[in-house]
Amino acid sequence: MLQFDNTTLTSLSVHQVGNKTYEEGLDFSLSPVDISEEGLVRLMKRYFLNSFSGNEMFHFKNEVGLEQNEIYTLATKLFKDPDQLHELSKTIALHLYNSTTHPKVKGGELYIAYLKDVLLDDELTDCIGIFKSETKEDYLKVNVKNTEDQINYDEGININKLDKGCLIFNVDKAKGYQLCIIDNLNKSTEAAYWKDDFLSIQPITNDFYQTNQFLGLAKQFVTKQMAEDFEVTKADQIDLLNRSVDYFKKNEDFNKDDFENEVFGDSNVRKSFRKFDESYREAHDVEISDTFSISIPALKKQAAAFKSVLKLDKNFHIYIHGDKELIEQGMDESGRKYYKIYYEQES
């Protein structure tokens, strides 16, 4: 659980970071941001913090040792002496600049903030925030008292849309701290620069991670692998996806054997799933326990991606939420495919 009700923004610096590939440069601000104005602080906290839920947590990593992770080392110095924020923020900005080499990544403003009294899992802690804005929006400025210039326009940042962010909590230093991230722009290969190149982090294997990873694994098996190993219809696949989600909805704890028996049933399907499970974990470098407590936030996140829609050409969409036995597939004498649906009430 992550809460910011009593969080205080104690210091803030901002720098301009371009794309190194295009030699856009790096501009440091001369001094920290003046945060004495209460209205500005309120808006900055809203911009920085509103996007974070604290469900998916990470920690810093490095194959040689945590001391070789640049942001981990800088965070350690900052937690020890928060008064160094402005000077150390320049080193953070330089590290981001050196990591910004993908041609699709835009330059933008980099904010580094120090925050006190963040509530993480019912414990108060300090927090370092690193945020980047890459997108600008046009907005209108209206002044009805000025007859010569009543309406003007400018370019600015939408404080309801944080592009990229990272919160580093002063917790579990020996394990690489705890942190959470936001990346609302880059969902493909260029996203690696923020999570992997700049921060160099890996997920903490908590209940959210376990639930999220296993449901993702199950979805991949049903939608891709099953069609290669068995003769299976789209309706069958949707039914299995629904049963997978239903298992997580009605249980507080996950047990892999129970899941396989309840969702797949058939011994050949279970055998195929176990083989896929093994190769999936190795290919994606994930650790999933055979038993864990089910995370409701992770379930909600994954359930939204489990499609229960059967699309038939461009004419019909059939939503399948329940008993697969109430839908039959066939083909008439002329070779046209059809589905027969049984129901009791119409609404």
Side-chain angles (χ1 to χ4, degrees):
M1 180 182 292
L2 185 59
Q3 293 183 2
F4 306 106
D5 295 345
N6 299 308
T7 297
T8 304
L9 175 63
T10 61
S11 54
L12 174 67
S13 291
V14 58
H15 309 290
Q16 187 76 28
V17 180
N19 188 306
K20 188 175 182 179
T21 298
Y22 300 131
E23 299 181 350
E24 292 175 343
L26 173 63
D27 294 319
F28 297 126
S29 59
L30 296 176
S31 59
V33 177
D34 181 358
I35 54 173
S36 60
E37 208 279 301
E38 193 174 311
L40 173 64
V41 171
R42 177 176 51 82
L43 289 177
M44 295 307 290
K45 283 174 59 180
R46 174 179 162 189
Y47 177 50
F48 292 154
L49 304 176
N50 274 13
S51 298
F52 290 95
S53 65
N55 290 323
E56 191 170 11
M57 301 297 289
F58 299 81
H59 55 71
F60 290 110
K61 67 174 182 177
N62 188 276
E63 293 180 0
V64 178
L66 281 172
E67 293 74 16
Q68 301 302 311
N69 183 302
E70 182 117 12
I71 302 300
Y72 171 85
T73 301
L74 291 167
T76 299
K77 291 180 180 179
L78 257 176
F79 283 132
K80 187 175 181 179
D81 183 7
D83 291 338
Q84 293 191 72
L85 183 130
H86 187 66
E87 287 307 311
L88 291 177
S89 71
K90 297 177 184 178
T91 309
I92 293 173
L94 177 61
H95 179 56
L96 178 62
Y97 181 67
N98 289 329
S99 302
T100 308
T101 56
H102 195 288
K104 289 186 179 181
V105 175
K106 298 178 181 178
E109 293 81 22
L110 179 70
Y111 307 84
I112 296 89
Y114 199 89
L115 303 125
K116 286 184 173 292
D117 294 335
V118 176
L119 192 64
L120 176 66
D121 295 332
D122 298 323
E123 295 288 338
L124 287 175
T125 185
D126 286 1
C127 171
I128 298 166
I130 305 174
F131 316 97
K132 188 186 177 196
S133 62
E134 297 179 1
T135 55
K136 301 289 188 298
E137 295 184 5
D138 295 329
Y139 64 90
L140 297 175
K141 296 189 293 185
V142 180
N143 185 355
V144 296
K145 294 181 179 180
N146 187 342
T147 57
E148 295 182 359
D149 194 13
Q150 290 179 316
I151 301 179
N152 207 337
Y153 69 92
D154 208 334
E155 189 180 64
I157 299 166
N158 185 339
I159 63 169
N160 296 313
K161 296 180 181 179
L162 179 65
D163 292 335
K164 288 179 172 61
C166 168
L167 296 179
I168 307 166
F169 305 101
N170 194 9
V171 174
D172 290 340
K173 174 188 173 184
K175 296 179 180 179
Y177 294 114
Q178 289 189 31
L179 60 144
C180 50
I181 65 169
I182 294 288
D183 189 346
N184 285 324
L185 290 184
N186 305 118
K187 304 300 182 184
S188 53
T189 54
E190 65 267 26
Y193 99 96
W194 182 253
K195 183 169 73 74
D196 298 331
D197 301 336
F198 172 56
L199 295 170
S200 188
I201 56 177
Q202 62 187 14
I204 294 175
T205 56
N206 55 16
D207 293 337
F208 183 95
Y209 172 87
Q210 302 272 6
T211 304
N212 188 54
Q213 289 293 332
F214 191 87
L215 277 168
L217 182 158
K219 180 185 175 185
Q220 290 292 311
F221 171 72
V222 171
T223 57
K224 295 183 178 177
Q225 187 63 41
M226 278 197 73
E228 296 182 15
D229 294 349
F230 306 96
E231 189 174 329
V232 59
T233 67
K234 287 288 184 181
D236 291 329
Q237 289 177 316
I238 291 172
D239 178 60
L240 287 170
L241 291 176
N242 287 337
R243 285 160 63 180
S244 299
V245 172
D246 286 343
Y247 173 89
F248 277 79
K249 284 182 177 179
K250 69 183 184 182
N251 290 285
E252 293 183 358
D253 298 303
F254 171 84
N255 180 286
K256 189 168 179 284
D257 288 337
D258 291 345
F259 174 87
E260 291 176 356
N261 291 328
E262 189 169 327
V263 175
F264 300 125
D266 183 87
S267 60
N268 290 325
V269 177
R270 294 201 305 273
K271 183 178 179 181
S272 173
F273 175 71
R274 286 169 188 158
K275 183 179 178 181
F276 177 81
D277 179 14
E278 219 174 287
S279 60
Y280 181 94
R281 293 176 193 230
E282 185 176 342
H284 293 81
D285 191 24
V286 297
E287 298 177 17
I288 310 175
S289 301
D290 288 346
T291 58
F292 54 83
S293 296
I294 291 171
S295 164
I296 300 303
L299 171 59
K300 289 180 179 178
K301 175 187 174 183
Q302 279 287 358
F306 275 52
K307 305 299 183 184
S308 58
V309 184
L310 182 63
K311 296 181 180 181
L312 308 177
D313 299 330
K314 295 182 180 180
N315 299 317
F316 304 103
H317 286 180
I318 300 176
Y319 290 80
I320 303 174
H321 299 296
D323 189 355
K324 183 180 70 72
E325 301 303 319
L326 297 177
I327 181 169
E328 293 180 9
Q329 185 179 25
M331 182 182 296
D332 65 16
E333 295 177 353
S334 61
R336 292 187 305 176
K337 299 175 183 177
Y338 66 82
Y339 277 98
K340 185 186 293 185
I341 299 170
Y342 298 90
Y343 67 94
E344 293 182 2
Q345 294 181 343
E346 182 178 353
S347 60

